Amino acid sequence: MRRVPDPLQIAVFFALAIVFATWQPLVWWRAAAAVLMLGFGCYGFYVLRRSKRQESSPEPDELESRGR
């Protein structure tokens, strides 16, 4: 399994959180599920951004070879 989530998967988590939060009648477990999904969506966005940042930064071996 890949460690980096697909951007569509992150968007689906946010969409499901909105659906759960607005579904009537709102009961405590739906609110808890919406909060949990928002948390997973934010964590997925964080992992995605971190992986993009690591891909764009040069590797330490590349930095050593450039300096010599």
Side-chain angles (χ1 to χ4, degrees), residues 9-40:
Q9 185 179 8
I10 296 169
V12 167
F13 268 106
F14 283 116
L16 283 174
I18 291 169
V19 167
F20 269 89
T22 58
W23 195 356
Q24 298 298 327
L26 181 63
V27 291
W28 69 269
W29 65 268
R30 286 192 184 132
V35 168
L36 185 65
M37 282 189 230
L38 285 173
F40 280 135

